Every structure is written in structure tokens, then in C-alpha cells.
Amino acid sequence: MIGVFDSGFGGLTVLKSIVSVMPDYDYLYLGDNARVPYGTRSQRMVYEFTKQAVEYLFHRGCPLVIIACNTASARALRKIQQEFLPEAYPDRRVLGVIRPSAEEIVEKGMRSIGILATEGVVASGIYVEEITSLAPDIRVYQQACPLLVPIIEAGEAEWEGTDMIISKYLRELFNKGRGIEAILLACTHYPILHEQFVRQAGSSVAVLDQGPIVADKFKEYLARHSDIEDRISRNQTRCFLTTDTSERFDRLALVFYGEPVTAQLVSLDSLCL
Ligand code: DGL
């Protein structure tokens, strides 16, 4: 199976895009709902939680795990790839959502981009680093949007206050840089507010969701890595795991995944590693 990990429900927006591009593979989704949000946590905690989740998915039989969470990709992926995997699981792979997004921005020929993300992602500076390492002349402006994840998880995406909060964040972003051509919704939850962002950003600014970008890049990755691709089963199954109550997961999964799911409650601590 392909493992897909997120701090909670948000990664379901990414899974949805991946499944629509590559429906044949088997997918195992894990949401660490008991410990969400990651966006306000320290680097050390996000690394420990993410490593534990990745290892759990390995033990459930995933040769490859996609970290759908921007915060976990920003705070943990590099260390997992450079230190943890070579030592403990040299034959497994872990991918994130930041590099593919950075590549897409560069390939689209953008000159000025706004990144909307959690506090943790903004503090890491990873988008600025990744994008400018590929194209040093691109101007990258960041804006943390800490109120949006709790609003979306509370089911208040349609609330009129949400529009005011989006407007405040966009104003702050646009004040930082002139001529921003596109904004990247660099958090798993923000695509739920896609329409509001499009309405408020104005017609001259493109609003980019990560799901389709990550799905296309992941497809290219598998085409280049037949050694990994050969190890992924193809029975079109989708399994959902959560570290918190499955009732809540199933209810909110309808919003993020758009289809009814039945999740299974798991404990990451119970693993004998
Ligand atoms: N999944 C996180 C992200 O994409 C948002 C939720 C959280 O803070 O854990 O950054």
C-alpha cells in the first residue's frame, strides 16, 4: 500500500487528488487526530510524531509514505530522509509536499509568489529555501494563517467571520510584496476555503491547491522509480486510520475527502518497535 500521513483530516484533500490520478493502487491513510495541530508545535515534537507515524505505516506494509502535511514535511521530512531512513529503513521511501510544490511554481515561470501556511511552516522558511534554490530570482512572501485550521475543523468554513479573517491575512501578505502573481495554499486544510480565496485575491492572482500538484509529481516519481512502483499493490483499496475517535473522523472525512469513509482507531504507542 501507499501510506499517506497527515496530522489529521487535512491530508485527505491530498489523498483525494492522488487517488483520482492513480486509482488502481492501494492506499492506507493515517491521521494523527489525537495530536493535531502540528502547525503550532516545536520542530522536535513534529519530528518525533512524524517519525513514529511513518514507522507505523512501514509496519503496516507500506514501502512508501507520502507526508501530506506541510508542517510535518517542513519540520521532519529532511531529517527522516537523511538520518532515519538510511539507518533504519534503507529500502523504504518517504516523500513530502513541499518539493513538488516548489518545482511546480518554478516550472510555471512565476516571478513572485505568496505562500499561505501554518506558523510552523512559515517559521521553518522551507518554501523560501526550496523555491529559491531552484530559481534564485523568484520573490517568495509568506503569511502564517493560524486561525484557519481551527475554523475549518470546527465546520465554520462558511461563517462570515472566515471571510474577514481571510481578508486580513491576504492584506498582510499583499503588504509584504508587490506584484504577487499567485498564492499557494500550502496547508492541507486551506483548499476547503479555495473559493473564498479566489474571490478575495482578485482576478490577477492565481490560487494554487497542492493536491493536484502533488498527485501529478508523484505519478512522475513512480514512473521514474520502478523499483518502488513494483512493490505497491493494485487492488483499489482505501483504508483509513485515525489516532482519535473514528466517529468524528468519518464525519469530517466527508468534508475533506468528499466520500463516506469508515476509519479504524489505532494507537501509535502500541507498536513494539
Ligand atoms: N496538516 C497541517 C499542514 O498542512 C495543518 C494542520 C496542523 O496544524 O496540524 O500544515
Side-chain angles (χ1 to χ4, degrees):
M1 287 176 282
I2 296 172
V4 179
F5 169 65
D6 182 51
S7 55
F9 305 107
L12 290 169
T13 59
V14 177
L15 176 67
K16 189 176 160 186
S17 296
I18 296 176
V19 165
S20 79
V21 171
M22 289 168 290
D24 289 345
Y25 296 122
D26 296 326
Y27 294 91
L28 180 61
Y29 182 92
L30 171 62
D32 191 8
N33 298 85
R35 301 189 290 201
V36 73
Y38 281 17
T40 45
R41 290 187 190 273
S42 67
Q43 200 266 334
R44 189 175 68 84
M45 292 317 296
V46 174
Y47 174 71
E48 288 305 328
F49 291 170
T50 306
K51 183 167 75 113
Q52 196 182 26
V54 162
E55 199 161 25
Y56 181 87
L57 287 168
F58 286 165
H59 281 248
R60 294 285 299 246
C62 300
L64 176 143
V65 173
I66 298 172
I67 299 181
C69 176
N70 276 273
T71 307
S73 294
R75 299 290 215 182
L77 180 63
R78 202 171 279 173
K79 198 166 170 193
I80 286 176
Q81 286 175 334
Q82 293 177 358
E83 295 174 25
F84 178 58
L85 292 188
E87 197 181 291
Y89 298 94
D91 62 332
R92 312 286 176 111
R93 295 291 176 271
V94 180
L95 306 173
V97 290
I98 292 169
R99 186 73 185 186
S101 306
E103 286 172 0
E104 174 80 4
I105 287 161
V106 172
E107 284 160 16
K108 275 195 145 76
M110 307 227 157
R111 285 156 305 166
S112 183
I113 178 98
I115 305 292
L116 300 178
T118 63
E119 286 170 302
V121 170
V122 168
S124 76
I126 188 102
Y127 273 100
V128 180
E129 197 185 308
E130 291 277 359
I131 295 169
T132 55
S133 78
L134 296 170
D137 293 338
I138 300 186
R139 294 188 304 280
V140 187
Y141 303 100
Q142 309 187 90
Q143 177 63 44
C145 308
L147 293 173
L148 296 184
V149 167
I151 286 175
I152 294 164
E153 295 231 341
E156 296 291 353
E158 302 300 328
W159 170 51
E160 69 264 24
T162 308
D163 272 331
M164 289 168 62
I165 291 164
I166 290 175
S167 149
K168 168 184 146 56
Y169 288 143
L170 286 179
R171 210 171 37 245
E172 286 174 16
L173 175 72
F174 292 142
N175 280 342
K176 288 175 188 162
R178 294 168 66 87
I180 292 179
E181 294 164 310
I183 51 177
L184 177 72
L185 304 184
C187 172
T188 49
H189 285 58
Y190 303 171
I192 301 294
L193 302 173
H194 182 96
E195 295 311 321
Q196 284 101 310
F197 276 113
V198 169
R199 230 179 15 245
Q200 297 211 34
S203 54
S204 60
V205 179
V207 177
L208 307 178
D209 283 350
Q210 279 183 308
I213 299 174
V214 171
D216 287 344
K217 296 280 179 200
F218 181 45
K219 190 175 180 186
E220 289 168 23
Y221 173 90
L222 288 181
R224 287 196 310 271
H225 294 85
S226 54
D227 53 324
I228 298 289
E229 205 273 342
D230 286 348
R231 290 158 62 197
I232 303 169
S233 52
R234 292 166 171 258
N235 301 303
Q236 302 197 350
T237 64
R238 289 90 176 89
C239 296
F240 299 86
L241 310 175
T242 174
T243 55
D244 204 345
T245 59
S246 42
E247 293 76 15
R248 182 157 187 269
F249 188 95
D250 296 354
R251 192 158 34 84
L252 278 156
L254 259 184
V255 177
F256 288 91
Y257 192 59
E259 278 177 36
V261 311
T262 305
Q264 192 194 335
L265 172 65
V266 294
S267 163
L268 304 190
D269 297 325
S270 66
L271 243 196
C272 298
L273 297 171

